[in-house]
């Protein structure tokens, strides 16, 4: 372990503060799933991923991460900054004119850590597969990680990619699904039910593991376990249960904070529930 | 009129296949992807010699574009292959976000473009692809005129860093450009110098423009004919230079008149040098089933249509 679980939890608390403050500052953005995925991102970048904050696009020999549900950019930006890809102070430029921190992540403005634009949903898994195939062609032992939203699985391209990866034995790929059961218009089971996701992924030929994405110890262990399953002929799918808005009592477990910013008063209450551990930007 | 002859007819898609094979030999980073149309795209030679660098994606074009984008990340040069319709309209958002906006070095290679796909009909005959692709910031759009030029273009885009749309077709047409040509992206190719009218043509229409030029010569009209194989970036300089000499222009393309080469030329002329223009293009229509020749006649893309357009535009010259 590079960090203790308690240290990782402290980082995640700071990341959650960053997310809320970024979204509050411009009164736009997506706090709900950013909070829900803060533990996953912290575990990934501070514990699991073999990566170099002196960023290179190719990332030769490194593990690569692709975010498919680009609207949760606040949590990714925070973790990238907190792990050294760029200055934490740059988080204050989120969604502002001439910023590298666009509403949705992009390579277009040259922000270190980003390797593809995402935002229009359903495209990240295909890109991750391509990067994983590229690594295989080069004999590069680095792994490829990706995160998708669960609502995003309603996009058909995902199922093309889900069919492709097992058939082509893309076993250097760990895809996680943020299984929070919420999307903009309401619970996924009411908008368009995903039904039995685990059975669907298994039927497509993936090695499926389940995890609790809001339990730091659990998610670290799950990601290490996922890593141990690579190179065995199957891509790995981490079906990760989270709660949208996790960490703030009035935001948790509802789609209402998917894409809404907190008011001044709400921010104050929320920040009161999240320890400042590494200094606000 | 300069005399053009040919000894054989070949399809431009075979020029792509030959170019891809050669690209595979020259650069080990070249990777090919196909969505279940290997035979139609003439990818067999590449696959035979470089099986490990070929990805059969199945009938899943959106996934193919995403995988291609991902492959560029560690320096691979992916060439995707499917029909023009499935290379553009079907996957526009994947190209827009994962390739163009992300600045990825993907070569989108599209066969069976235009009416000359023939009997399969309008579902497969895309006439809007040039417009779709040229609107994407940073996208290069190339539509070569014969087998040799398509082969040369395929090799040229391998050496160019950035997203490219390469459009070619199904029918066999005369091979009249040199086998050893150097293909320069964005550089117009002078087919025939003339003084009375400028004819710019792209893709399959270039040979038709040559046939029209011969008829025009018989009528005493000295046509300057330019092959615009690169629609974006357009060779503004070559077109303006020619129009300043001739005073009028006819644009020829196997594409909807909306969004194609003609509109790019019109934009250039209205901003730089006003001159009358006529469009030889499909008049805002879908295609239909028939033989390629029947369709080119019905949709007014024959050499005789170019001649008529020239006569019309010359009357409008000041």
């Amino acid at each position: 372990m590079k960090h203790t679980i308690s240290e990782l939890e402290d980082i995640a608390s700071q990341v959650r503060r960053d997310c809320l403050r970024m979204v509050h500052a411009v009164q736009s953005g997506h706090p709900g799933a950013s909070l829900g995925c803060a533990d996953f991102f912290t575990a990934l970048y501070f514990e699991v991923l073999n990566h170099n904050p002196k960023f290179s696009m190719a990332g030769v020999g490194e593990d690569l991460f692709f975010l498919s549900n680009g609207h949760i950019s606040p949590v990714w930006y925070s973790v990238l900054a907190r792990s050294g890809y760029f200055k934490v102070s740059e988080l204050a430029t989120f969604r502002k004119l001439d910023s590298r921190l666009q509403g949705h992540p992009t390579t277009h403005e040259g922000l270190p850590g980003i390797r593809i634009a995402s935002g229009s949903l359903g495209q990240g898994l295909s890109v991750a597969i391509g990067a994983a195939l590229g690594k295989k062609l080069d004999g590069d032992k680095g792994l490829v990680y990706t995160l998708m939203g669960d609502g995003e699985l309603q996009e058909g391209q995902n199922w093309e990619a889900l069919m492709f990866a097992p058939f082509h034995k893309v076993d250097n790929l760990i895809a996680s699904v943020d299984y929070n059961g919420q999307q903009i218009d309401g619970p996924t089971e009411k908008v368009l039910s995903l039904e039995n996701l685990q059975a669907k992924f298994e039927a497509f030929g993936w090695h499926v593991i389940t995890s609790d994405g809001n339990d730091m110890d659990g998610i670290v262990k799950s990601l290490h376990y996922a890593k141990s399953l690579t190179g065995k002929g199957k891509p790995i799918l981490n079906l990760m249960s989270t709660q949208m808005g996790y960490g703030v009592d009035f935001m948790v477990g509802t789609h209402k904070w998917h894409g809404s910013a907190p008011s001044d008063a709400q921010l104050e209450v929320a920040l009161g529930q999240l320890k400042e551990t590494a200094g606000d930007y | 009129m300069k005399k053009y002859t040919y000894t054989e007819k070949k399809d431009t898609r075979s020029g792509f296949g030959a170019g891809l094979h050669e690209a595979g030999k020259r650069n080990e980073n070249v990777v090919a992807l196909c969505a279940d149309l290997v035979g139609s795209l003439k990818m067999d030679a590449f696959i035979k010699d470089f099986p490990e660098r070929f990805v059969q994606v199945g009938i899943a074009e959106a996934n193919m574009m995403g995988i291609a984008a991902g492959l560029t990340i560690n320096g691979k040069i992916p060439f995707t292959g499917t029909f023009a319709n499935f290379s553009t309209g079907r996957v526009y958002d994947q190209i827009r976000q994962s390739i163009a906006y992300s600045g990825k070095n993907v070569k989108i290679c599209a066969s069976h473009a235009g009416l000359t796909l023939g009997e399969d009909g309008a579902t497969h005959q895309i006439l809007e692809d040039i417009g779709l692709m040229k609107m994407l910031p940073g996208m290069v759009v190339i539509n070569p005129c014969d087998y040799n030029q398509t082969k040369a273009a395929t090799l040229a885009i391998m050496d160019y860093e950035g997203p490219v749309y390469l459009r070619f077709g199904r029918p066999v047409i005369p091979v009249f450009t040199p086998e050893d040509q150097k293909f320069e992206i964005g550089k117009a190719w002078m087919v025939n110098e003339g003084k009375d009218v400028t004819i710019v043509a792209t893709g399959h229409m270039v040979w038709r423009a040559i046939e029209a030029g011969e008829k025009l010569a018989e009528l005493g009209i000295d046509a300057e004919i330019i092959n615009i194989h690169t629609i974006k970036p357009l060779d503004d300089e070559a077109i303006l230079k020619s129009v300043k000499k001739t005073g009028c222009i006819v644009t020829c393309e196997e594409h909807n008149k909306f969004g194609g080469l003609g509109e790019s030329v019109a934009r250039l002329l209205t901003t730089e040098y006003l001159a009358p223009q006529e469009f030889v293009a499909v008049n805002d229509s879908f295609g239909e089933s028939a033989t390629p020749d029947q369709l080119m006649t019905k949709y007014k893309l024959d050499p005789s249509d170019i001649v008529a357009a020239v006569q019309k535009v010359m009357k409008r010259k000041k």
Side-chain angles (χ1 to χ4, degrees):
Chain A
M1 291 278 288
K2 299 171 196 161
H3 298 273
T4 65
I5 295 302
S6 163
E7 285 167 351
L8 291 171
E9 285 169 343
D10 280 354
I11 296 168
S13 179
Q14 186 65 52
V15 166
R16 287 190 165 92
R17 287 181 70 90
D18 289 348
C19 292
L20 290 169
R21 294 180 69 243
M22 289 162 74
V23 171
H24 170 262
V26 288
Q27 284 295 299
S28 75
H30 299 78
S34 292
L35 294 176
C37 290
D39 304 307
F40 167 80
F41 273 87
T42 302
L44 191 67
Y45 273 83
F46 286 87
E47 193 59 40
V48 179
L49 213 57
N50 169 29
H51 67 114
N52 186 353
K54 282 184 188 142
F55 176 70
S56 73
M57 177 56 76
V60 175
E62 294 178 51
D63 297 338
L64 308 181
F65 172 73
F66 296 93
L67 178 66
S68 189
N69 48 330
H71 57 273
I72 69 167
S73 57
V75 66
W76 196 14
Y77 293 153
S78 168
V79 166
L80 285 173
R82 298 276 170 194
S83 59
Y85 280 82
F86 52 87
K87 286 184 179 158
V88 174
S89 58
E90 195 171 347
L91 295 175
T93 70
F94 175 61
R95 285 185 173 236
K96 291 180 178 165
L97 189 65
D98 297 328
S99 173
R100 298 195 294 179
L101 280 61
Q102 291 289 297
H104 295 80
T106 177
T107 55
H108 198 260
E109 320 304 333
L111 187 69
I114 313 287
R115 291 189 169 88
I116 197 85
S118 62
S120 177
L121 294 171
Q123 301 187 26
L125 182 58
S126 301
V127 174
I129 289 170
L133 291 176
K135 283 206 177 282
K136 278 182 175 278
L137 275 171
D138 284 352
D140 184 330
K141 298 295 177 202
L143 299 174
V144 176
Y145 293 78
T146 185
L147 177 69
M148 300 173 272
D150 55 356
E152 180 182 13
L153 293 171
Q154 291 158 0
E155 291 281 7
Q157 184 182 344
N158 285 313
W159 298 94
E160 297 180 1
L162 285 162
M163 196 184 296
F164 179 98
F167 178 73
H168 286 273
K169 298 186 168 54
V170 187
D171 59 2
N172 53 346
L173 172 66
I174 299 170
S176 294
V177 171
D178 178 19
Y179 196 20
N180 61 25
Q182 307 287 340
Q183 57 191 110
I184 297 179
D185 280 353
T188 50
E189 64 183 30
K190 291 203 173 146
V191 176
L192 180 61
S193 177
L194 303 167
E195 300 298 332
N196 189 339
L197 272 185
Q198 180 167 352
K200 287 182 180 180
F201 295 141
E202 280 169 351
F204 274 63
W206 289 70
H207 190 128
V208 182
I209 65 168
T210 58
S211 62
D212 179 350
N214 293 131
D215 167 19
M216 188 60 81
D217 187 42
I219 191 63
V220 168
K221 282 185 178 139
S222 295
L223 287 172
H224 280 307
Y225 177 53
K227 219 167 164 173
S228 75
L229 296 171
T230 59
K232 298 187 191 319
K234 282 187 173 190
I236 294 99
L237 198 134
N238 170 31
L239 187 55
M240 178 177 72
S241 297
T242 71
Q243 291 194 72
M244 198 178 259
Y246 188 84
V248 177
D249 58 6
F250 64 89
M251 290 182 163
V252 77
T254 167
H255 67 277
K256 296 197 174 69
W257 292 94
H258 168 88
S260 315
S263 66
D264 293 353
Q266 287 166 329
L267 178 70
E268 199 182 327
V269 174
L271 292 180
Q273 299 173 20
L274 297 163
K275 199 165 45 157
E276 183 180 351
T277 55
D280 287 339
Y281 64 83
Chain B
M1 176 77 192
K2 190 174 167 186
K3 187 71 189 159
Y4 281 89
T5 55
Y6 63 91
T7 52
E8 59 178 339
K9 289 186 172 186
K10 283 183 174 179
D11 45 359
T12 51
R13 59 180 167 151
S14 288
F16 163 71
L20 179 68
H21 186 216
E22 182 62 29
K25 288 185 205 164
R26 290 192 195 176
N27 190 331
E28 62 178 18
N29 281 322
V30 169
V31 178
L33 301 92
C34 190
D36 196 32
L37 284 169
V38 161
S40 296
L41 269 287
K42 305 293 180 187
M43 292 170 120
D44 309 85
F46 181 94
I47 296 166
K48 181 170 171 285
D49 282 356
F50 312 107
E52 73 290 351
R53 284 194 267 146
F54 172 71
V55 185
Q56 172 60 269
V57 183
I59 310 166
E61 295 83 4
N63 191 38
M64 176 165 74
M65 293 304 169
I67 291 174
L71 276 163
T72 65
I73 283 166
N74 70 346
K76 298 286 169 280
I77 308 171
F79 285 65
T80 66
T82 182
F83 289 171
N85 188 31
F86 315 136
S87 294
T88 58
R90 187 173 182 97
V91 290
Y92 196 66
D93 189 48
Q94 285 77 18
I95 294 174
R96 182 177 181 274
Q97 175 172 283
S98 293
I99 296 174
Y101 182 46
S102 293
K104 297 304 181 201
N105 191 24
V106 176
K107 314 305 171 187
I108 302 161
C109 301
S111 185
H112 293 54
L115 292 170
T116 49
L117 170 124
E119 291 82 350
D120 277 348
T123 53
H124 289 51
Q125 289 161 341
I126 193 161
L127 297 165
E128 309 91 45
D129 55 322
I130 291 173
L132 287 170
M133 290 297 109
K134 81 176 187 179
M135 278 196 295
L136 289 170
M139 182 67 73
V140 166
V141 179
I142 297 173
N143 187 24
C145 68
D146 72 354
Y147 173 95
N148 286 339
Q149 192 161 80
T150 308
K151 183 179 175 187
T154 305
L155 289 165
I157 64 175
M158 171 185 77
D159 292 327
Y160 169 83
E161 174 76 28
V164 174
Y165 179 60
L166 180 67
R167 179 193 214 236
F168 41 90
R170 176 171 182 258
V172 291
I173 57 162
V175 181
F176 60 96
T177 69
E179 200 178 340
D180 59 349
Q181 68 189 278
K182 182 172 172 353
F183 188 94
E184 286 185 72
I185 294 170
K187 190 86 182 150
W189 195 72
M190 182 61 75
V191 178
N192 186 59
E193 290 190 28
K195 63 180 191 317
D196 297 330
V197 61
T198 301
I199 301 173
V200 296
T202 190
H204 294 144
M205 294 303 288
V206 176
W207 179 256
R208 286 166 182 262
I210 291 170
E211 291 181 320
E214 287 164 357
K215 285 182 190 172
L216 288 165
E218 289 167 18
L219 298 170
I221 296 170
D222 182 14
E224 179 144 301
I225 303 171
I226 301 173
N227 167 15
I228 301 289
H229 52 60
T230 308
I231 293 157
K232 186 184 173 189
L234 193 64
D235 190 342
D236 294 358
E237 199 182 329
I239 294 169
L240 287 171
K241 188 179 167 200
S242 178
V243 175
K244 282 175 183 172
K245 176 171 63 173
T246 64
C248 62
I249 190 166
V250 172
T251 54
C252 312
E253 58 196 310
E254 190 185 343
H255 189 271
N256 195 345
K257 69 179 181 184
F258 294 116
L261 168 65
E263 281 198 349
S264 286
V265 170
R267 175 196 48 77
L268 174 67
L269 295 182
T270 51
T271 50
E272 299 290 335
Y273 185 82
L274 280 177
Q277 177 183 354
E278 288 293 328
F279 293 68
V280 175
V282 174
N283 186 16
D284 197 25
S285 170
F286 292 104
E288 64 184 285
S289 292
T291 67
D293 283 345
Q294 287 172 328
L295 292 168
M296 294 297 266
T297 299
K298 176 167 177 177
Y299 290 87
K300 300 193 181 304
L301 300 177
D302 274 344
S304 60
D305 299 303
I306 300 173
V307 169
V310 164
Q311 289 170 325
K312 190 175 172 194
V313 83
M314 283 182 64
K315 282 185 191 148
R316 293 169 56 208
K317 266 212 280 190
K318 294 208 173 89

